[in-house]
Amino acid sequence: MRTSAICILLLSVAGCSSESERIYTVEELVADESLLAGIIGRCRNNPGELSSTANCRNAEAADFKARLGRIGKALGG
């Protein structure tokens, strides 16, 4: 009885929590330039709150990776 009460409590708390934003991988962001630009824009407009979030960190890494790829292509690589 006690175990089922705890399970019900945990499920109700989980149901009430706000839905979190989807976390994109670096590869997904490199593949979708418009998504990358949108996330980079939001992160740079509000760095105090968003710079440490997973999406902002992944977007910065994806931006760096994409820039390196463009440099490599420009240099004939």
Side-chain angles (χ1 to χ4, degrees), residues 17-35:
S17 64
S18 63
E19 189 174 322
S20 62
E21 183 180 2
R22 181 174 185 266
I23 307 284
Y24 294 97
T25 64
V26 173
E27 290 77 24
E28 289 174 320
L29 292 169
V30 169
D32 190 344
E33 290 181 19
S34 63
L35 177 63

Side-chain angles (χ1 to χ4, degrees), residues 2-76:
R2 186 173 189 200
T3 305
S4 62
I6 291 173
C7 288
I8 290 171
L9 177 66
L10 289 175
L11 289 174
S12 64
V13 170
C16 293
S17 64
S18 63
E19 189 174 322
S20 62
E21 183 180 2
R22 181 174 185 266
I23 307 284
Y24 294 97
T25 64
V26 173
E27 290 77 24
E28 289 174 320
L29 292 169
V30 169
D32 190 344
E33 290 181 19
S34 63
L35 177 63
L36 175 60
I39 293 174
I40 289 284
R42 277 187 286 143
C43 295
R44 290 184 179 163
N45 283 330
N46 191 359
E49 290 182 23
L50 300 176
S51 65
S52 63
T53 63
N55 272 338
C56 288
R57 290 191 313 259
N58 288 349
E60 290 293 336
D63 186 46
F64 181 73
K65 187 174 183 177
R67 287 175 191 238
L68 284 179
R70 288 191 298 267
I71 290 171
K73 285 181 184 177
L75 295 174

